[in-house]
Amino acid sequence: MSAVPPSPAPVRATERARERDVTSVRAALRSPQRLRTEVLGGLVVALALIPEAISFSIIAGVDPRVGLFASFTMAVSIAFLGGRPAMISAATGAVALVIAPLVREHGLDYLVATVILAGAIQVVLGLLGVAKLMRFIPRSVMVGFVNALAILIFLAQLPHLIGVPWGVYPLVAVGVAVIVLLPRVTSVVPAPLVAILGLTVFTVAAAIAVPTVGDEGKLPDSLPTLGLPHVPLTLETLSTIGPFALGMALVGLMESLMTAKLVDDVTDTHSPKTREAWGQGASNIITGFFGGMGGCAMIGQTMINVKGSGARTRLSTFLAGVFLLVLVVGLGDVVGMIPMAALVAVMVMVAVGTFDWHSIRPATLRRMPRSETLVMVVTVAVVVATHNLAIGVVVGVLVAMVLFARRVAHFTEVVDVAHPDEDTRVYAVVGELFFASSNDLVTQFDYVGDPRNVVIDLTQSHIWDASTVAALDAIQTRYAAKGKNVSIIGLNDASHERRERLAGHLVGSH
């Protein structure tokens, strides 16, 4: 007697329970080991955020405190509002690039108004279900996104490795060695934290003159305050900030949702993307009211938190924000002593760990369809060229769509299946009919040599768009010009309804 397979419902319930336990703050608080992982993960991320936030502030053309406070408010608020536990949101380079022209022309108050409006747009888009569009991003684009991200993280470290004192290079090498080798000995303390603390103590004790975090910009010495932007509430203001707010909203959502999907894959857990979308918007609104420059998910810091430190809950995200504020406001002088070489070592290893090395192995490339490899390469190339992950993803998806349509178009064929009598010929159309495949359809019939009656059987096809209906009309017109009759049979209900609605009404359409 064969065994009865388990019902999928209990299996799904068990999987959901496992995911809730992995990402549960309450479970982490009850486990000293998991709590230590979350706390130390948050601390490492906070240390790595400081130079990043300062750099992004410089890109945006604002005071470093604007980026640092944005990172604090984004991290703390998204810990409560976001859908993806352990993901880090803060001030980012992508957002800084979008808003930099606005800051140059109109100043900080217009920036703050833009951040608030962008957050409102993200909330609306999130509630409208924009996160569901993630299902249309192919795996090859996702791989290209990850690889491009790793390359950008590495390239961002080059300014700290070129034209610097020679002492930087051995410090980076030691930092990388600690991060690689320490986990083989113990995992009690995250290796990146050990590298940062160890190199800081060494450089201070040995009085080695190398660039430090303090050299990147002045750290704030006061807490952020709540306020409103001083801008006129007019249509002219809206027309000024509107395009920047929309660009910021779209770039932020795309990067955040892609990062959330990446963390889902890394942690083997699921997260509600709709909540993440409107949570990002709400966090940007809060950040704007505190005078921050806004932001989105930070993939590099998220990988430090998830892969480097092993954090899995919202606690690490919350603590990253809290530690960041404590470090820059309360311990600014100490934090300023951290050598940039230590943070560069951490980020280099994040880049190495983020890159999907399996995707470029010769065996993988030989096995993978060329179109998939092309999509990945295009995504990487566009992202690296523009330094904009969102543009790269959009171009990658468009290339994937074109290649898919081109490939599927050639799957449709017309088969001569029967000759019931000398005056009748039956064709069967096999495959999906849409704008790409229907263009070839018109050329696959023998308009001159066919008998008086032609039957086109679409039982094994489906009409997807108006282009196909127009192609069928063209086929009938060509046969009619030769004095021949055409019957189209075998339509399913959806195809029949579409053809009935459009047939004969597309003359002159192109």
Side-chain angles (χ1 to χ4, degrees):
M1 186 175 180
S2 60
V4 178
S7 171
V11 173
R12 286 195 296 268
T14 302
E15 182 66 17
R16 284 196 296 269
R18 183 193 68 81
E19 292 183 2
R20 283 195 298 269
D21 181 67
V22 168
T23 60
S24 169
V25 173
R26 187 172 300 175
L29 292 174
R30 287 198 298 261
S31 168
Q33 181 179 359
R34 289 181 60 182
L35 179 60
R36 182 178 64 249
T37 298
E38 300 295 320
V39 172
L40 294 179
L43 179 58
V44 173
V45 169
L47 291 170
L49 274 174
I50 295 172
E52 293 279 307
I54 294 174
S55 299
F56 297 149
S57 298
I58 295 171
I59 292 173
V62 298
D63 189 271
R65 63 189 291 131
V66 177
L68 290 166
F69 286 160
S71 297
F72 159 69
T73 53
M74 285 292 296
V76 170
S77 56
I78 203 67
F80 294 96
L81 301 171
R84 176 62 256 180
M87 190 168 78
I88 306 297
S89 291
T92 62
V95 170
L97 289 171
V98 171
I99 60 178
L102 176 72
V103 176
R104 284 196 300 269
E105 295 181 18
H106 299 281
L108 181 60
D109 284 315
Y110 276 80
L111 164 63
V112 172
T114 300
V115 172
I116 295 172
L117 179 58
I121 293 173
Q122 287 178 326
V123 170
V124 172
L125 291 176
L127 295 177
L128 290 176
V130 70
K132 295 177 182 177
L133 296 177
M134 286 295 295
R135 72 183 68 180
F136 297 110
I137 297 180
R139 181 186 177 279
S140 52
V141 174
M142 191 68 189
V143 173
F145 170 83
V146 170
N147 291 346
L149 166 68
I151 294 172
L152 288 184
I153 292 174
F154 180 78
L155 292 178
Q157 311 316 309
L158 293 183
H160 304 294
L161 295 171
I162 299 174
V164 295
W166 69 267
V168 169
Y169 303 110
L171 289 176
V172 172
V174 170
V176 169
V178 170
I179 296 170
V180 172
L181 299 176
L182 184 62
R184 302 180 184 180
V185 179
T186 178
S187 58
V188 174
V189 181
L193 180 59
V194 174
I196 293 171
L197 295 178
L199 291 178
T200 302
V201 171
F202 175 75
T203 53
V204 171
I208 299 176
V210 291
T212 63
V213 170
D215 296 331
E216 296 294 302
K218 186 178 183 300
L219 299 178
D221 54 9
S222 61
L223 297 174
T225 56
L226 192 64
L228 292 173
H230 298 291
V231 295
L233 300 178
T234 62
L235 288 177
E236 183 180 356
T237 300
L238 182 61
S239 65
T240 299
I241 67 174
F244 293 98
L246 180 61
M248 176 181 169
L250 295 177
V251 168
L253 276 182
M254 189 171 297
E255 290 208 23
S256 298
L257 294 175
M258 291 287 285
T259 305
K261 188 175 187 303
L262 178 60
V263 177
D264 287 355
D265 295 340
V266 170
T267 61
D268 194 25
T269 57
H270 174 73
S271 61
K273 303 301 184 296
T274 296
R275 176 176 173 179
E276 184 60 44
W278 65 255
Q280 287 287 332
S283 297
N284 270 312
I285 292 173
I286 294 170
T287 298
F289 283 126
F290 277 97
M293 61 181 278
C296 62
M298 296 190 75
I299 307 177
Q301 275 63 27
T302 297
M303 289 298 102
I304 291 176
N305 196 40
V306 174
K307 295 187 76 172
S309 301
R312 291 293 183 270
T313 76
R314 300 174 186 275
L315 187 60
S316 60
T317 306
F318 172 77
L319 290 176
V322 173
F323 283 143
L324 174 65
L325 188 66
V326 172
L327 289 170
V328 299
V329 175
L331 300 172
D333 293 338
V334 176
V335 171
M337 298 178 186
I338 297 175
M340 286 302 300
L343 298 175
V344 168
V346 172
M347 297 307 293
V348 166
M349 291 311 300
V350 168
V352 172
T354 301
F355 197 91
D356 186 351
W357 298 100
H358 179 268
S359 66
I360 61 171
R361 290 178 182 172
T364 304
L365 295 176
R366 285 195 299 269
R367 190 179 302 112
M368 193 69 65
R370 290 183 180 179
S371 59
E372 300 283 322
T373 302
L374 177 62
V375 169
M376 180 190 74
V377 171
V378 168
T379 303
V380 171
V382 173
V383 170
V384 173
T386 63
H387 283 237
N388 191 313
L389 291 163
I391 294 176
V393 170
V394 170
V395 172
V397 170
L398 290 176
V399 171
M401 289 170 59
V402 171
L403 292 177
F404 175 77
R406 180 174 178 272
R407 187 166 62 248
V408 174
H410 299 296
F411 289 164
T412 303
E413 60 178 340
V414 176
V415 182
D416 181 3
V417 294
H419 296 261
D421 54 63
E422 61 181 14
D423 287 333
T424 304
R425 187 176 188 179
V426 180
Y427 289 101
V429 179
V430 181
E432 302 302 304
L433 296 173
F434 63 107
F435 62 90
S437 61
S438 59
N439 287 331
D440 293 337
L441 186 65
V442 179
T443 64
Q444 297 188 49
F445 295 90
D446 184 2
Y447 300 100
V448 176
D450 281 343
R452 290 181 55 192
N453 299 310
V454 176
V455 178
I456 302 176
D457 187 356
L458 298 182
T459 302
Q460 301 180 68
S461 299
H462 183 91
I463 297 175
W464 287 104
D465 58 13
S467 295
T468 303
V469 177
L472 292 174
D473 286 350
I475 292 169
Q476 288 184 303
T477 300
R478 287 195 182 189
Y479 273 118
K482 305 294 183 185
K484 300 171 183 179
N485 300 316
V486 177
S487 300
I488 298 177
I489 65 172
L491 293 170
N492 58 38
D493 291 341
S495 298
H496 177 76
E497 189 277 330
R498 185 169 287 113
R499 183 166 182 269
E500 283 292 309
R501 187 173 70 252
L502 297 176
H505 299 287
L506 300 173
V507 177
S509 298
H510 301 284

